[in-house]
Amino acid sequence: MTKVRLENVTKIYGSVIAVDHANLEIRHGELFTLLGPSGCGKTTTLRIIAGFEVPEEGRVYFDDEDVTFKKPYERNTAMVFQNYALWPHMTVYDNIAFGLRIRKVPEPEIRKKVKQVLELVKLEGMENRYPLQLSGGQQQRVALARALVVEPRVLLLDEPLSNLDAKLRIEMREEIKRIQKKLGITTIYVTHDQLEAMSISDRVAIMNKGRILQVGTPKEVYFYPKSMFVADFIGRSNILKGRIIDKAGVYAKVYVDELGLELEGTLVDKELSGKVGIVIRPENILVNKPSNLEGYNVIKGRLDFQMFVGEKIEARIKVGETSLVAYLPNILETPIGSELVLYIHRENVRIIPLT
């Protein structure tokens, strides 16, 4: 297992700063995800770690070894690409064995290693097929097997599931997590899919415009966003603006401009004052009265729109001139225009910086 560390890494293309003074530490054996919108710098960061790009500033370390200027093959990493990049004229066996043959591994050992990795990715019996005879999910498993068979120090995955349909993506992300945990290999995963990142990762780095905005476990970045961008990008949120009018420890009262009322919430930083952002997740808006109202904000609204999405009803509730998105129980039958009373606990009203 290998620890990967980026110190002040910067990459510039012309006038564009693709990666802006990135500092990261990826722990031994963890599955770490770089998450952000298209063009945020996550793939460039991955390519710098792989050795395909050289930064203008900063250093890349594998454990305590400076690999900043080492060639990709000198780093012993393996990458799984978005488009699989399989040789169409080679069988599954030959595609997987390719990296070992380049390394001049004896053929008996190649057969042994390919057999082991085929079992790992559940492709036994398909070694004589060609890529075009496989489904998208099977091709992705071959690409993963080809990367794993060389026993890399670090496994790199660049949007590996983006070409698969929704059901297959769920199956494959479960498989990737299973295999990664079984092998204990340090893995860096790039995606713009929030749900994918949340479900698969040990920790996540949120990127935007080349900068790393927040690093933490999926729960930390979801429940404790440190900026408006992170709150808006991760999951569904009601994001409002207001100003702090009173504070007591980690709690504060905020006058919310859009709603024209006061809310009590939890500060992500006790030093916050003045104008702030307010984040409320839809699942934290209740319409059933709690048995104990202590700590709850009580708001009156009107049902403006609803949409059945299976396990829940996604609703828009008008409070004054502002709509709040809430997830209602799917057994609730409420006509449009109905008056509703909303209950939101202060622990679920996050007060964050406006920046």
Side-chain angles (χ1 to χ4, degrees):
M1 294 188 290
T2 300
K3 180 172 69 176
V4 177
R5 191 168 82 253
L6 274 60
E7 290 186 357
N8 208 39
V9 167
T10 299
K11 182 65 183 176
I12 301 171
Y13 298 109
S15 61
V16 177
I17 303 175
V19 181
D20 189 359
H21 297 90
N23 290 282
L24 269 180
E25 185 168 299
I26 297 153
R27 298 166 185 158
H28 293 271
E30 80 172 333
L31 201 164
F32 188 96
T33 297
L34 299 171
L35 173 65
S38 297
C40 72
K42 55 190 184 294
T43 293
T44 302
T45 303
L46 193 75
R47 289 175 62 83
I48 289 170
I49 293 168
F52 298 141
E53 302 283 354
V54 177
E56 269 71 31
E57 294 180 38
R59 288 288 184 269
V60 180
Y61 295 91
F62 285 7
D63 292 327
D64 295 323
E65 179 188 2
D66 187 342
V67 298
T68 309
F69 300 106
K70 288 200 168 188
K71 301 286 192 296
Y73 63 85
E74 295 174 321
R75 302 183 186 206
N76 191 19
T77 63
M79 185 176 282
V80 178
F81 297 93
Q82 181 177 343
N83 61 356
Y84 315 139
L86 300 177
W87 299 104
H89 63 288
M90 290 185 183
T91 63
V92 167
Y93 180 95
D94 289 332
N95 264 284
I96 296 172
F98 184 79
L100 296 173
R101 287 175 175 151
I102 291 292
R103 289 165 171 78
K104 302 189 185 303
V105 175
E107 200 63 33
E109 190 176 345
I110 289 177
R111 285 196 294 272
K112 179 184 174 184
K113 288 180 177 291
V114 172
K115 182 177 183 296
Q116 288 173 339
V117 81
L118 280 168
E119 291 172 357
L120 184 66
V121 300
K122 299 180 180 178
L123 285 178
E124 308 99 309
M126 295 189 180
E127 53 266 36
N128 294 322
R129 294 192 188 184
Y130 289 87
L132 292 177
Q133 296 174 313
L134 303 175
S135 67
Q138 289 169 337
Q139 289 183 51
Q140 190 58 275
R141 287 170 190 266
V142 175
L144 182 59
R146 183 181 58 186
L148 293 171
V149 79
V150 297
E151 299 177 0
R153 295 173 70 184
V154 182
L155 177 64
L156 309 170
L157 300 103
D158 186 11
E159 302 269 10
L161 308 182
S162 60
N163 291 332
L164 304 179
D165 62 53
K167 186 173 183 295
L168 200 51
R169 286 173 76 164
I170 293 172
E171 292 176 4
M172 278 303 300
R173 72 187 185 214
E174 290 173 357
E175 279 298 292
I176 288 171
K177 189 166 186 174
R178 176 187 67 82
I179 292 167
Q180 191 270 338
K181 291 305 171 193
K182 184 173 182 177
L183 297 178
I185 186 172
T186 304
T187 301
I188 305 171
Y189 193 102
V190 161
T191 184
H192 63 271
D193 187 313
Q194 308 153 33
L195 185 57
E196 195 172 291
M198 301 284 278
S199 62
I200 205 171
S201 312
D202 294 315
R203 288 191 304 144
V204 179
I206 313 298
M207 295 189 69
N208 189 40
K209 296 180 180 178
R211 297 181 61 210
I212 295 170
L213 302 183
Q214 187 171 345
V215 178
T217 66
K219 285 185 178 180
E220 286 169 348
V221 296
Y222 185 82
F223 290 115
Y224 303 97
K226 293 182 179 178
S227 68
M228 294 285 272
F229 178 85
V230 173
D232 191 35
F233 188 76
I234 293 290
R236 195 80 182 270
S237 294
N238 296 289
I239 298 181
L240 307 166
K241 294 180 182 179
R243 64 182 184 277
I244 293 174
I245 56 176
D246 191 24
K247 289 199 294 185
V250 297
Y251 301 114
K253 284 186 179 178
V254 182
Y255 184 81
V256 184
D257 303 322
E258 293 105 312
L259 302 181
L261 51 78
E262 292 179 13
L263 290 179
E264 188 176 11
T266 304
L267 297 158
V268 298
D269 181 351
K270 286 197 270 188
E271 301 302 315
L272 282 175
S273 61
K275 293 183 178 180
V276 290
I278 299 103
V279 181
I280 303 170
R281 298 288 185 188
E283 64 268 27
N284 292 324
I285 299 177
L286 308 179
V287 292
N288 295 322
K289 186 176 180 179
S291 56
N292 182 358
L293 282 175
E294 185 180 353
Y296 277 90
N297 298 280
V298 182
I299 304 171
K300 292 181 179 179
R302 176 176 49 81
L303 184 62
D304 191 50
F305 173 82
Q306 61 183 342
M307 182 169 58
F308 176 75
V309 289
E311 75 278 8
K312 59 182 178 284
I313 293 170
E314 187 173 307
R316 288 192 174 274
I317 300 167
K318 277 271 191 170
V319 179
E321 296 302 311
T322 299
S323 288
L324 297 179
V325 178
Y327 296 151
L328 308 181
N330 60 12
I331 58 171
L332 196 66
E333 294 185 8
T334 309
I336 298 297
S338 298
E339 297 291 327
L340 294 172
V341 180
L342 312 179
Y343 303 92
I344 312 167
H345 198 277
R346 64 185 180 181
E347 294 286 351
N348 297 320
V349 178
R350 300 291 181 195
I351 303 169
I352 65 173
L354 273 177
T355 53

